[in-house]
Amino acid sequence: MGRTSTARRWSGSSSPKPAKKLIPVIRDDDTKRVLGTCKGKDFVQLRDEAIIRLYCNTGARLSEVGNLTLADLDMSTDSAHYHAKGNKDRRVHFGPKTARALSRYLRARAKHKGADLPDLWLADCGVRRLAPNGIKIMLKRRGLAAGLTGVHAHRWRHNFAHEWKRAGGDTGDLMLLLG
């Protein structure tokens, strides 16, 4: 009888809606704290700052930044060519602070053992790329060093969308921009 009475109770009315889960964004002061862990001029600090600034400034997915090649970066137009989900490529512009961080990283990268690799992001030792999973680990480590938990690339993506909407941006334009 339990099943039929439940079915009768719900018939004619919509099913219960799950509670909306708020998507966590990363606040500007938290981003500053994470960037603060990248202070310095060694290769890893320059690379990590450039990566974090790209996420923060463009709202990209982990894989989009993680799979960038040197050819995908255009420093003359301050833009990156992202290879998005579903074969939907797009070019995204970044700001002057991100451009400076990338420029500093590229100069350090040119002196690295793996400078001849086509991948933009290089591992700190050896001649190999820094894969998206390595970036994921780095972001978590940088977050913990800043005293934060739950730091990952997608939080900057949510933050980018949140700020876009707060500034009165159009949802359709945001969808195109974020791929």
Side-chain angles (χ1 to χ4, degrees):
M1 171 140 180
R3 277 190 156 158
T4 53
S5 64
T6 304
R8 270 191 228 130
R9 224 180 335 166
W10 288 108
S11 65
S13 65
S14 62
S15 59
K17 299 205 188 284
K20 272 195 172 184
K21 184 180 173 190
L22 291 176
I23 298 168
V25 297
I26 191 160
R27 297 185 328 244
D28 289 344
D29 59 325
D30 289 342
T31 296
K32 286 177 187 167
R33 287 171 56 189
V34 175
L35 285 168
T37 69
C38 301
K39 293 290 182 217
K41 298 187 188 280
D42 74 10
F43 177 79
V44 172
Q45 292 164 323
L46 295 171
R47 179 200 65 199
D48 293 357
E49 179 185 358
I51 290 170
I52 292 166
R53 286 195 180 279
L54 261 179
Y55 284 122
C56 180
N57 204 208
T58 65
R61 294 177 179 91
L62 175 67
S63 62
E64 291 170 338
V65 170
N67 292 321
L68 283 172
T69 65
L70 283 171
D72 292 327
L73 208 57
D74 186 343
M75 296 304 289
S76 64
T77 61
D78 291 344
S79 65
H81 178 207
Y82 288 144
H83 305 280
K85 285 168 57 173
N87 256 358
K88 294 180 182 176
D89 289 5
R90 68 187 191 286
R91 182 156 294 280
V92 177
H93 293 274
F94 45 81
K97 288 182 180 180
T98 301
R100 278 192 301 279
L102 282 165
S103 183
R104 287 192 300 266
Y105 167 68
L106 289 172
R107 285 193 300 277
R109 187 192 181 286
K111 300 172 191 166
H112 192 276
K113 287 186 230 177
D116 291 335
L117 291 175
D119 307 286
L120 179 59
W121 311 117
L122 301 178
D124 52 333
C125 55
V127 181
R128 56 194 171 95
R129 73 185 276 246
L130 179 67
N133 193 55
I135 292 174
K136 183 179 179 180
I137 293 166
M138 175 275 290
L139 292 173
K140 183 177 182 176
R141 182 175 39 83
R142 291 280 180 191
L144 291 173
L148 304 168
T149 57
V151 174
H152 53 83
H154 218 70
R155 286 188 66 190
W156 280 294
R157 184 170 173 81
H158 289 300
N159 191 62
F160 185 93
H162 177 76
E163 293 300 324
W164 179 271
K165 293 298 289 176
R166 271 188 47 193
D170 179 67
T171 302
D173 291 340
L174 177 64
M175 290 170 63
L176 287 171
L177 190 59
L178 293 181

